[in-house]
PDB file of all heavy atoms in Angstrom:
ATOM      1  N   GLN A   1      10.813 -15.219 -12.020  1.00 88.00           N
ATOM      2  CA  GLN A   1      11.459 -15.450 -13.313  1.00 88.00           C
ATOM      3  C   GLN A   1      12.337 -14.291 -13.779  1.00 88.00           C
ATOM      4  O   GLN A   1      13.227 -14.501 -14.590  1.00 88.00           O
ATOM      5  CB  GLN A   1      10.393 -15.704 -14.382  1.00 88.00           C
ATOM      6  CG  GLN A   1       9.530 -16.909 -14.113  1.00 88.00           C
ATOM      7  CD  GLN A   1      10.311 -18.205 -14.151  1.00 88.00           C
ATOM      8  OE1 GLN A   1      11.260 -18.339 -14.909  1.00 88.00           O
ATOM      9  NE2 GLN A   1       9.920 -19.148 -13.318  1.00 88.00           N
ATOM     10  N   TYR A   2      12.057 -13.076 -13.293  1.00 90.00           N
ATOM     11  CA  TYR A   2      12.732 -11.900 -13.825  1.00 90.00           C
ATOM     12  C   TYR A   2      13.376 -11.078 -12.715  1.00 90.00           C
ATOM     13  O   TYR A   2      12.734 -10.759 -11.717  1.00 90.00           O
ATOM     14  CB  TYR A   2      11.733 -11.008 -14.579  1.00 90.00           C
ATOM     15  CG  TYR A   2      11.076 -11.701 -15.741  1.00 90.00           C
ATOM     16  CD1 TYR A   2       9.749 -12.102 -15.668  1.00 90.00           C
ATOM     17  CD2 TYR A   2      11.780 -11.957 -16.912  1.00 90.00           C
ATOM     18  CE1 TYR A   2       9.131 -12.739 -16.739  1.00 90.00           C
ATOM     19  CE2 TYR A   2      11.179 -12.593 -17.981  1.00 90.00           C
ATOM     20  CZ  TYR A   2       9.856 -12.980 -17.888  1.00 90.00           C
ATOM     21  OH  TYR A   2       9.254 -13.609 -18.942  1.00 90.00           O
ATOM     22  N   ASP A   3      14.634 -10.706 -12.937  1.00 91.00           N
ATOM     23  CA  ASP A   3      15.354  -9.874 -11.969  1.00 91.00           C
ATOM     24  C   ASP A   3      14.748  -8.473 -11.874  1.00 91.00           C
ATOM     25  O   ASP A   3      14.698  -7.889 -10.794  1.00 91.00           O
ATOM     26  CB  ASP A   3      16.834  -9.764 -12.342  1.00 91.00           C
ATOM     27  CG  ASP A   3      17.586 -11.072 -12.118  1.00 91.00           C
ATOM     28  OD1 ASP A   3      17.120 -11.890 -11.301  1.00 91.00           O
ATOM     29  OD2 ASP A   3      18.625 -11.271 -12.771  1.00 91.00           O
ATOM     30  N   TRP A   4      14.308  -7.903 -13.001  1.00 91.00           N
ATOM     31  CA  TRP A   4      13.732  -6.562 -12.975  1.00 91.00           C
ATOM     32  C   TRP A   4      12.498  -6.518 -12.078  1.00 91.00           C
ATOM     33  O   TRP A   4      12.271  -5.525 -11.395  1.00 91.00           O
ATOM     34  CB  TRP A   4      13.410  -6.055 -14.379  1.00 91.00           C
ATOM     35  CG  TRP A   4      12.366  -6.860 -15.090  1.00 91.00           C
ATOM     36  CD1 TRP A   4      12.571  -7.871 -15.973  1.00 91.00           C
ATOM     37  CD2 TRP A   4      10.946  -6.732 -14.950  1.00 91.00           C
ATOM     38  NE1 TRP A   4      11.379  -8.392 -16.390  1.00 91.00           N
ATOM     39  CE2 TRP A   4      10.355  -7.703 -15.787  1.00 91.00           C
ATOM     40  CE3 TRP A   4      10.125  -5.898 -14.209  1.00 91.00           C
ATOM     41  CZ2 TRP A   4       8.981  -7.859 -15.900  1.00 91.00           C
ATOM     42  CZ3 TRP A   4       8.746  -6.053 -14.321  1.00 91.00           C
ATOM     43  CH2 TRP A   4       8.198  -7.028 -15.159  1.00 91.00           C
ATOM     44  N   ALA A   5      11.715  -7.581 -12.069  1.00 91.00           N
ATOM     45  CA  ALA A   5      10.524  -7.618 -11.220  1.00 91.00           C
ATOM     46  C   ALA A   5      10.918  -7.721  -9.752  1.00 91.00           C
ATOM     47  O   ALA A   5      10.282  -7.106  -8.888  1.00 91.00           O
ATOM     48  CB  ALA A   5       9.620  -8.785 -11.617  1.00 91.00           C
ATOM     49  N   GLN A   6      11.957  -8.476  -9.471  1.00 89.00           N
ATOM     50  CA  GLN A   6      12.438  -8.602  -8.090  1.00 89.00           C
ATOM     51  C   GLN A   6      12.899  -7.254  -7.555  1.00 89.00           C
ATOM     52  O   GLN A   6      12.618  -6.906  -6.419  1.00 89.00           O
ATOM     53  CB  GLN A   6      13.593  -9.616  -8.040  1.00 89.00           C
ATOM     54  CG  GLN A   6      14.173  -9.813  -6.660  1.00 89.00           C
ATOM     55  CD  GLN A   6      13.179 -10.444  -5.697  1.00 89.00           C
ATOM     56  OE1 GLN A   6      12.430 -11.333  -6.057  1.00 89.00           O
ATOM     57  NE2 GLN A   6      13.159  -9.964  -4.473  1.00 89.00           N
ATOM     58  N   ARG A   7      13.589  -6.478  -8.403  1.00 91.00           N
ATOM     59  CA  ARG A   7      14.073  -5.156  -7.980  1.00 91.00           C
ATOM     60  C   ARG A   7      12.926  -4.178  -7.722  1.00 91.00           C
ATOM     61  O   ARG A   7      13.023  -3.331  -6.858  1.00 91.00           O
ATOM     62  CB  ARG A   7      15.018  -4.572  -9.035  1.00 91.00           C
ATOM     63  CG  ARG A   7      16.362  -5.260  -9.125  1.00 91.00           C
ATOM     64  CD  ARG A   7      17.319  -4.488 -10.026  1.00 91.00           C
ATOM     65  NE  ARG A   7      16.810  -4.279 -11.369  1.00 91.00           N
ATOM     66  CZ  ARG A   7      16.984  -5.126 -12.392  1.00 91.00           C
ATOM     67  NH1 ARG A   7      17.648  -6.247 -12.207  1.00 91.00           N
ATOM     68  NH2 ARG A   7      16.499  -4.838 -13.586  1.00 91.00           N
ATOM     69  N   ARG A   8      11.855  -4.299  -8.455  1.00 90.00           N
ATOM     70  CA  ARG A   8      10.720  -3.377  -8.303  1.00 90.00           C
ATOM     71  C   ARG A   8       9.726  -3.821  -7.243  1.00 90.00           C
ATOM     72  O   ARG A   8       8.909  -3.028  -6.796  1.00 90.00           O
ATOM     73  CB  ARG A   8      10.023  -3.200  -9.641  1.00 90.00           C
ATOM     74  CG  ARG A   8      10.850  -2.330 -10.563  1.00 90.00           C
ATOM     75  CD  ARG A   8      10.382  -2.398 -11.987  1.00 90.00           C
ATOM     76  NE  ARG A   8      11.145  -1.547 -12.862  1.00 90.00           N
ATOM     77  CZ  ARG A   8      12.332  -1.834 -13.351  1.00 90.00           C
ATOM     78  NH1 ARG A   8      12.938  -2.941 -13.013  1.00 90.00           N
ATOM     79  NH2 ARG A   8      12.950  -1.003 -14.164  1.00 90.00           N
ATOM     80  N   LEU A   9       9.792  -5.067  -6.842  1.00 90.00           N
ATOM     81  CA  LEU A   9       8.824  -5.596  -5.883  1.00 90.00           C
ATOM     82  C   LEU A   9       8.923  -4.912  -4.526  1.00 90.00           C
ATOM     83  O   LEU A   9       7.908  -4.485  -3.968  1.00 90.00           O
ATOM     84  CB  LEU A   9       9.013  -7.114  -5.720  1.00 90.00           C
ATOM     85  CG  LEU A   9       8.117  -7.799  -4.698  1.00 90.00           C
ATOM     86  CD1 LEU A   9       6.651  -7.621  -5.057  1.00 90.00           C
ATOM     87  CD2 LEU A   9       8.469  -9.284  -4.611  1.00 90.00           C
ATOM     88  N   GLU A  10      10.108  -4.776  -3.984  1.00 88.00           N
ATOM     89  CA  GLU A  10      10.264  -4.238  -2.626  1.00 88.00           C
ATOM     90  C   GLU A  10       9.759  -2.801  -2.493  1.00 88.00           C
ATOM     91  O   GLU A  10       9.020  -2.506  -1.561  1.00 88.00           O
ATOM     92  CB  GLU A  10      11.722  -4.357  -2.167  1.00 88.00           C
ATOM     93  CG  GLU A  10      11.893  -4.265  -0.675  1.00 88.00           C
ATOM     94  CD  GLU A  10      11.049  -5.282   0.107  1.00 88.00           C
ATOM     95  OE1 GLU A  10      10.927  -6.437  -0.302  1.00 88.00           O
ATOM     96  OE2 GLU A  10      10.492  -4.883   1.146  1.00 88.00           O
ATOM     97  N   PRO A  11      10.107  -1.881  -3.417  1.00 89.00           N
ATOM     98  CA  PRO A  11       9.573  -0.515  -3.274  1.00 89.00           C
ATOM     99  C   PRO A  11       8.043  -0.463  -3.394  1.00 89.00           C
ATOM    100  O   PRO A  11       7.388   0.285  -2.660  1.00 89.00           O
ATOM    101  CB  PRO A  11      10.229   0.264  -4.418  1.00 89.00           C
ATOM    102  CG  PRO A  11      11.381  -0.543  -4.856  1.00 89.00           C
ATOM    103  CD  PRO A  11      11.095  -1.959  -4.489  1.00 89.00           C
ATOM    104  N   VAL A  12       7.471  -1.256  -4.286  1.00 84.00           N
ATOM    105  CA  VAL A  12       6.010  -1.241  -4.441  1.00 84.00           C
ATOM    106  C   VAL A  12       5.355  -1.859  -3.214  1.00 84.00           C
ATOM    107  O   VAL A  12       4.340  -1.363  -2.716  1.00 84.00           O
ATOM    108  CB  VAL A  12       5.598  -1.988  -5.733  1.00 84.00           C
ATOM    109  CG1 VAL A  12       4.092  -2.144  -5.825  1.00 84.00           C
ATOM    110  CG2 VAL A  12       6.121  -1.252  -6.959  1.00 84.00           C
ATOM    111  N   LYS A  13       5.941  -2.928  -2.697  1.00 84.00           N
ATOM    112  CA  LYS A  13       5.410  -3.565  -1.493  1.00 84.00           C
ATOM    113  C   LYS A  13       5.458  -2.595  -0.311  1.00 84.00           C
ATOM    114  O   LYS A  13       4.492  -2.475   0.445  1.00 84.00           O
ATOM    115  CB  LYS A  13       6.228  -4.824  -1.176  1.00 84.00           C
ATOM    116  CG  LYS A  13       5.732  -5.611  -0.012  1.00 84.00           C
ATOM    117  CD  LYS A  13       6.584  -6.861   0.171  1.00 84.00           C
ATOM    118  CE  LYS A  13       6.219  -7.591   1.428  1.00 84.00           C
ATOM    119  NZ  LYS A  13       7.075  -8.767   1.644  1.00 84.00           N
ATOM    120  N   LYS A  14       6.570  -1.874  -0.181  1.00 87.00           N
ATOM    121  CA  LYS A  14       6.698  -0.908   0.900  1.00 87.00           C
ATOM    122  C   LYS A  14       5.647   0.193   0.770  1.00 87.00           C
ATOM    123  O   LYS A  14       5.018   0.582   1.752  1.00 87.00           O
ATOM    124  CB  LYS A  14       8.105  -0.299   0.896  1.00 87.00           C
ATOM    125  CG  LYS A  14       8.358   0.637   2.044  1.00 87.00           C
ATOM    126  CD  LYS A  14       9.792   1.134   2.052  1.00 87.00           C
ATOM    127  CE  LYS A  14      10.004   2.052   3.235  1.00 87.00           C
ATOM    128  NZ  LYS A  14      11.370   2.533   3.322  1.00 87.00           N
ATOM    129  N   ARG A  15       5.414   0.660  -0.465  1.00 84.00           N
ATOM    130  CA  ARG A  15       4.404   1.703  -0.692  1.00 84.00           C
ATOM    131  C   ARG A  15       3.005   1.181  -0.380  1.00 84.00           C
ATOM    132  O   ARG A  15       2.180   1.899   0.189  1.00 84.00           O
ATOM    133  CB  ARG A  15       4.492   2.195  -2.143  1.00 84.00           C
ATOM    134  CG  ARG A  15       3.442   3.215  -2.496  1.00 84.00           C
ATOM    135  CD  ARG A  15       3.612   4.511  -1.705  1.00 84.00           C
ATOM    136  NE  ARG A  15       2.512   5.399  -1.990  1.00 84.00           N
ATOM    137  CZ  ARG A  15       1.619   5.788  -1.091  1.00 84.00           C
ATOM    138  NH1 ARG A  15       1.706   5.393   0.162  1.00 84.00           N
ATOM    139  NH2 ARG A  15       0.644   6.581  -1.424  1.00 84.00           N
ATOM    140  N   ALA A  16       2.716  -0.051  -0.746  1.00 80.00           N
ATOM    141  CA  ALA A  16       1.396  -0.631  -0.469  1.00 80.00           C
ATOM    142  C   ALA A  16       1.169  -0.756   1.036  1.00 80.00           C
ATOM    143  O   ALA A  16       0.084  -0.442   1.544  1.00 80.00           O
ATOM    144  CB  ALA A  16       1.271  -1.995  -1.141  1.00 80.00           C
ATOM    145  N   LEU A  17       2.190  -1.190   1.764  1.00 81.00           N
ATOM    146  CA  LEU A  17       2.060  -1.308   3.219  1.00 81.00           C
ATOM    147  C   LEU A  17       1.920   0.059   3.873  1.00 81.00           C
ATOM    148  O   LEU A  17       1.150   0.230   4.828  1.00 81.00           O
ATOM    149  CB  LEU A  17       3.255  -2.068   3.803  1.00 81.00           C
ATOM    150  CG  LEU A  17       3.338  -3.548   3.428  1.00 81.00           C
ATOM    151  CD1 LEU A  17       4.656  -4.145   3.904  1.00 81.00           C
ATOM    152  CD2 LEU A  17       2.160  -4.313   3.993  1.00 81.00           C
ATOM    153  N   GLN A  18       2.638   1.060   3.344  1.00 85.00           N
ATOM    154  CA  GLN A  18       2.526   2.418   3.865  1.00 85.00           C
ATOM    155  C   GLN A  18       1.125   2.970   3.607  1.00 85.00           C
ATOM    156  O   GLN A  18       0.538   3.612   4.472  1.00 85.00           O
ATOM    157  CB  GLN A  18       3.581   3.341   3.242  1.00 85.00           C
ATOM    158  CG  GLN A  18       3.586   4.732   3.829  1.00 85.00           C
ATOM    159  CD  GLN A  18       3.949   4.747   5.300  1.00 85.00           C
ATOM    160  OE1 GLN A  18       4.944   4.147   5.691  1.00 85.00           O
ATOM    161  NE2 GLN A  18       3.141   5.389   6.115  1.00 85.00           N
ATOM    162  N   ALA A  19       0.586   2.709   2.421  1.00 81.00           N
ATOM    163  CA  ALA A  19      -0.771   3.164   2.107  1.00 81.00           C
ATOM    164  C   ALA A  19      -1.793   2.503   3.029  1.00 81.00           C
ATOM    165  O   ALA A  19      -2.749   3.142   3.473  1.00 81.00           O
ATOM    166  CB  ALA A  19      -1.098   2.866   0.646  1.00 81.00           C
ATOM    167  N   ALA A  20      -1.582   1.218   3.328  1.00 80.00           N
ATOM    168  CA  ALA A  20      -2.485   0.514   4.244  1.00 80.00           C
ATOM    169  C   ALA A  20      -2.425   1.137   5.634  1.00 80.00           C
ATOM    170  O   ALA A  20      -3.448   1.337   6.287  1.00 80.00           O
ATOM    171  CB  ALA A  20      -2.127  -0.963   4.305  1.00 80.00           C
ATOM    172  N   ALA A  21      -1.229   1.458   6.096  1.00 85.00           N
ATOM    173  CA  ALA A  21      -1.071   2.074   7.418  1.00 85.00           C
ATOM    174  C   ALA A  21      -1.667   3.478   7.434  1.00 85.00           C
ATOM    175  O   ALA A  21      -2.339   3.868   8.396  1.00 85.00           O
ATOM    176  CB  ALA A  21       0.400   2.111   7.813  1.00 85.00           C
ATOM    177  N   ASP A  22      -1.446   4.242   6.363  1.00 85.00           N
ATOM    178  CA  ASP A  22      -1.992   5.600   6.285  1.00 85.00           C
ATOM    179  C   ASP A  22      -3.515   5.592   6.260  1.00 85.00           C
ATOM    180  O   ASP A  22      -4.153   6.476   6.817  1.00 85.00           O
ATOM    181  CB  ASP A  22      -1.479   6.321   5.035  1.00 85.00           C
ATOM    182  CG  ASP A  22      -0.002   6.657   5.109  1.00 85.00           C
ATOM    183  OD1 ASP A  22       0.583   6.560   6.211  1.00 85.00           O
ATOM    184  OD2 ASP A  22       0.575   6.995   4.058  1.00 85.00           O
ATOM    185  N   GLY A  23      -4.092   4.598   5.617  1.00 83.00           N
ATOM    186  CA  GLY A  23      -5.539   4.532   5.472  1.00 83.00           C
ATOM    187  C   GLY A  23      -6.287   4.322   6.772  1.00 83.00           C
ATOM    188  O   GLY A  23      -7.476   4.642   6.862  1.00 83.00           O
ATOM    189  N   VAL A  24      -5.627   3.783   7.784  1.00 87.00           N
ATOM    190  CA  VAL A  24      -6.285   3.547   9.077  1.00 87.00           C
ATOM    191  C   VAL A  24      -5.616   4.351  10.193  1.00 87.00           C
ATOM    192  O   VAL A  24      -5.761   4.033  11.362  1.00 87.00           O
ATOM    193  CB  VAL A  24      -6.311   2.038   9.425  1.00 87.00           C
ATOM    194  CG1 VAL A  24      -7.208   1.290   8.462  1.00 87.00           C
ATOM    195  CG2 VAL A  24      -4.915   1.443   9.453  1.00 87.00           C
ATOM    196  N   GLU A  25      -4.908   5.400   9.806  1.00 87.00           N
ATOM    197  CA  GLU A  25      -4.172   6.198  10.780  1.00 87.00           C
ATOM    198  C   GLU A  25      -5.115   6.991  11.694  1.00 87.00           C
ATOM    199  O   GLU A  25      -4.849   7.137  12.881  1.00 87.00           O
ATOM    200  CB  GLU A  25      -3.218   7.145  10.047  1.00 87.00           C
ATOM    201  CG  GLU A  25      -2.285   7.896  10.950  1.00 87.00           C
ATOM    202  CD  GLU A  25      -1.283   8.721  10.177  1.00 87.00           C
ATOM    203  OE1 GLU A  25      -1.482   8.961   8.983  1.00 87.00           O
ATOM    204  OE2 GLU A  25      -0.294   9.125  10.791  1.00 87.00           O
ATOM    205  N   THR A  26      -6.216   7.508  11.136  1.00 88.00           N
ATOM    206  CA  THR A  26      -7.151   8.309  11.931  1.00 88.00           C
ATOM    207  C   THR A  26      -8.574   7.787  11.726  1.00 88.00           C
ATOM    208  O   THR A  26      -8.882   7.151  10.710  1.00 88.00           O
ATOM    209  CB  THR A  26      -7.100   9.795  11.513  1.00 88.00           C
ATOM    210  OG1 THR A  26      -7.559   9.918  10.167  1.00 88.00           O
ATOM    211  CG2 THR A  26      -5.696  10.370  11.652  1.00 88.00           C
ATOM    212  N   TRP A  27      -9.450   8.109  12.693  1.00 90.00           N
ATOM    213  CA  TRP A  27     -10.843   7.681  12.579  1.00 90.00           C
ATOM    214  C   TRP A  27     -11.556   8.319  11.391  1.00 90.00           C
ATOM    215  O   TRP A  27     -12.358   7.640  10.726  1.00 90.00           O
ATOM    216  CB  TRP A  27     -11.587   7.917  13.883  1.00 90.00           C
ATOM    217  CG  TRP A  27     -11.296   6.821  14.844  1.00 90.00           C
ATOM    218  CD1 TRP A  27     -10.512   6.889  15.960  1.00 90.00           C
ATOM    219  CD2 TRP A  27     -11.736   5.460  14.753  1.00 90.00           C
ATOM    220  NE1 TRP A  27     -10.444   5.658  16.566  1.00 90.00           N
ATOM    221  CE2 TRP A  27     -11.194   4.758  15.849  1.00 90.00           C
ATOM    222  CE3 TRP A  27     -12.534   4.762  13.852  1.00 90.00           C
ATOM    223  CZ2 TRP A  27     -11.421   3.409  16.062  1.00 90.00           C
ATOM    224  CZ3 TRP A  27     -12.765   3.416  14.064  1.00 90.00           C
ATOM    225  CH2 TRP A  27     -12.215   2.758  15.162  1.00 90.00           C
ATOM    226  N   PRO A  28     -11.318   9.587  11.071  1.00 92.00           N
ATOM    227  CA  PRO A  28     -11.973  10.136   9.875  1.00 92.00           C
ATOM    228  C   PRO A  28     -11.608   9.369   8.598  1.00 92.00           C
ATOM    229  O   PRO A  28     -12.458   9.159   7.739  1.00 92.00           O
ATOM    230  CB  PRO A  28     -11.474  11.585   9.817  1.00 92.00           C
ATOM    231  CG  PRO A  28     -11.196  11.922  11.245  1.00 92.00           C
ATOM    232  CD  PRO A  28     -10.661  10.647  11.852  1.00 92.00           C
ATOM    233  N   ARG A  29     -10.359   8.950   8.472  1.00 89.00           N
ATOM    234  CA  ARG A  29      -9.959   8.166   7.299  1.00 89.00           C
ATOM    235  C   ARG A  29     -10.665   6.812   7.280  1.00 89.00           C
ATOM    236  O   ARG A  29     -11.089   6.345   6.224  1.00 89.00           O
ATOM    237  CB  ARG A  29      -8.449   7.946   7.278  1.00 89.00           C
ATOM    238  CG  ARG A  29      -7.675   9.178   6.916  1.00 89.00           C
ATOM    239  CD  ARG A  29      -6.206   8.887   6.835  1.00 89.00           C
ATOM    240  NE  ARG A  29      -5.462  10.100   6.551  1.00 89.00           N
ATOM    241  CZ  ARG A  29      -4.158  10.152   6.445  1.00 89.00           C
ATOM    242  NH1 ARG A  29      -3.433   9.058   6.617  1.00 89.00           N
ATOM    243  NH2 ARG A  29      -3.557  11.286   6.179  1.00 89.00           N
ATOM    244  N   ILE A  30     -10.762   6.184   8.442  1.00 91.00           N
ATOM    245  CA  ILE A  30     -11.441   4.889   8.515  1.00 91.00           C
ATOM    246  C   ILE A  30     -12.914   5.059   8.150  1.00 91.00           C
ATOM    247  O   ILE A  30     -13.468   4.265   7.370  1.00 91.00           O
ATOM    248  CB  ILE A  30     -11.282   4.270   9.920  1.00 91.00           C
ATOM    249  CG1 ILE A  30      -9.806   3.932  10.189  1.00 91.00           C
ATOM    250  CG2 ILE A  30     -12.151   3.024  10.065  1.00 91.00           C
ATOM    251  CD1 ILE A  30      -9.502   3.567  11.624  1.00 91.00           C
ATOM    252  N   LEU A  31     -13.561   6.087   8.694  1.00 92.00           N
ATOM    253  CA  LEU A  31     -14.973   6.326   8.402  1.00 92.00           C
ATOM    254  C   LEU A  31     -15.190   6.680   6.932  1.00 92.00           C
ATOM    255  O   LEU A  31     -16.164   6.219   6.320  1.00 92.00           O
ATOM    256  CB  LEU A  31     -15.525   7.415   9.313  1.00 92.00           C
ATOM    257  CG  LEU A  31     -15.601   7.045  10.795  1.00 92.00           C
ATOM    258  CD1 LEU A  31     -16.036   8.245  11.630  1.00 92.00           C
ATOM    259  CD2 LEU A  31     -16.540   5.867  11.007  1.00 92.00           C
ATOM    260  N   LEU A  32     -14.295   7.476   6.353  1.00 91.00           N
ATOM    261  CA  LEU A  32     -14.414   7.829   4.945  1.00 91.00           C
ATOM    262  C   LEU A  32     -14.240   6.590   4.060  1.00 91.00           C
ATOM    263  O   LEU A  32     -14.968   6.410   3.078  1.00 91.00           O
ATOM    264  CB  LEU A  32     -13.390   8.903   4.580  1.00 91.00           C
ATOM    265  CG  LEU A  32     -13.537   9.548   3.220  1.00 91.00           C
ATOM    266  CD1 LEU A  32     -14.903  10.232   3.088  1.00 91.00           C
ATOM    267  CD2 LEU A  32     -12.426  10.570   2.998  1.00 91.00           C
ATOM    268  N   SER A  33     -13.296   5.728   4.424  1.00 89.00           N
ATOM    269  CA  SER A  33     -13.111   4.479   3.686  1.00 89.00           C
ATOM    270  C   SER A  33     -14.353   3.601   3.799  1.00 89.00           C
ATOM    271  O   SER A  33     -14.789   2.990   2.822  1.00 89.00           O
ATOM    272  CB  SER A  33     -11.890   3.721   4.205  1.00 89.00           C
ATOM    273  OG  SER A  33     -10.714   4.454   3.985  1.00 89.00           O
ATOM    274  N   GLY A  34     -14.921   3.537   5.008  1.00 92.00           N
ATOM    275  CA  GLY A  34     -16.148   2.770   5.210  1.00 92.00           C
ATOM    276  C   GLY A  34     -17.302   3.325   4.390  1.00 92.00           C
ATOM    277  O   GLY A  34     -18.095   2.569   3.812  1.00 92.00           O
ATOM    278  N   LEU A  35     -17.392   4.649   4.316  1.00 94.00           N
ATOM    279  CA  LEU A  35     -18.418   5.282   3.502  1.00 94.00           C
ATOM    280  C   LEU A  35     -18.221   4.926   2.022  1.00 94.00           C
ATOM    281  O   LEU A  35     -19.187   4.665   1.301  1.00 94.00           O
ATOM    282  CB  LEU A  35     -18.392   6.799   3.694  1.00 94.00           C
ATOM    283  CG  LEU A  35     -19.395   7.596   2.866  1.00 94.00           C
ATOM    284  CD1 LEU A  35     -20.828   7.212   3.239  1.00 94.00           C
ATOM    285  CD2 LEU A  35     -19.165   9.088   3.062  1.00 94.00           C
ATOM    286  N   GLY A  36     -16.969   4.905   1.596  1.00 90.00           N
ATOM    287  CA  GLY A  36     -16.672   4.504   0.219  1.00 90.00           C
ATOM    288  C   GLY A  36     -17.144   3.084  -0.074  1.00 90.00           C
ATOM    289  O   GLY A  36     -17.671   2.793  -1.147  1.00 90.00           O
ATOM    290  N   VAL A  37     -16.955   2.183   0.907  1.00 92.00           N
ATOM    291  CA  VAL A  37     -17.428   0.803   0.757  1.00 92.00           C
ATOM    292  C   VAL A  37     -18.943   0.776   0.612  1.00 92.00           C
ATOM    293  O   VAL A  37     -19.492   0.096  -0.265  1.00 92.00           O
ATOM    294  CB  VAL A  37     -16.965  -0.062   1.956  1.00 92.00           C
ATOM    295  CG1 VAL A  37     -17.700  -1.390   1.992  1.00 92.00           C
ATOM    296  CG2 VAL A  37     -15.461  -0.285   1.903  1.00 92.00           C
ATOM    297  N   VAL A  38     -19.636   1.519   1.464  1.00 96.00           N
ATOM    298  CA  VAL A  38     -21.096   1.556   1.417  1.00 96.00           C
ATOM    299  C   VAL A  38     -21.568   2.091   0.063  1.00 96.00           C
ATOM    300  O   VAL A  38     -22.489   1.540  -0.544  1.00 96.00           O
ATOM    301  CB  VAL A  38     -21.662   2.398   2.584  1.00 96.00           C
ATOM    302  CG1 VAL A  38     -23.150   2.668   2.416  1.00 96.00           C
ATOM    303  CG2 VAL A  38     -21.386   1.705   3.910  1.00 96.00           C
TER     304      VAL A  38
END
């Protein structure tokens, strides 16, 4: 419905995907995330 939201969607989506990739980049990060879940 809004152009302003369309303009902001791509940068936020890119950041979210980058954060997802960074979060599983190394085994210590994966284990720390798993510990957080526990």
Side-chain angles (χ1 to χ4, degrees):
Q1 299 295 327
Y2 300 107
D3 289 337
W4 64 264
Q6 179 65 40
R7 289 189 303 271
R8 286 166 179 79
L9 177 60
E10 199 55 40
V12 173
K13 183 178 173 182
K14 184 176 181 178
R15 177 65 185 116
L17 292 172
Q18 185 63 50
D22 290 347
V24 293
E25 187 175 16
T26 65
W27 279 107
R29 287 183 183 179
I30 294 169
L31 293 174
L32 190 60
S33 296
L35 178 62
V37 167
V38 169

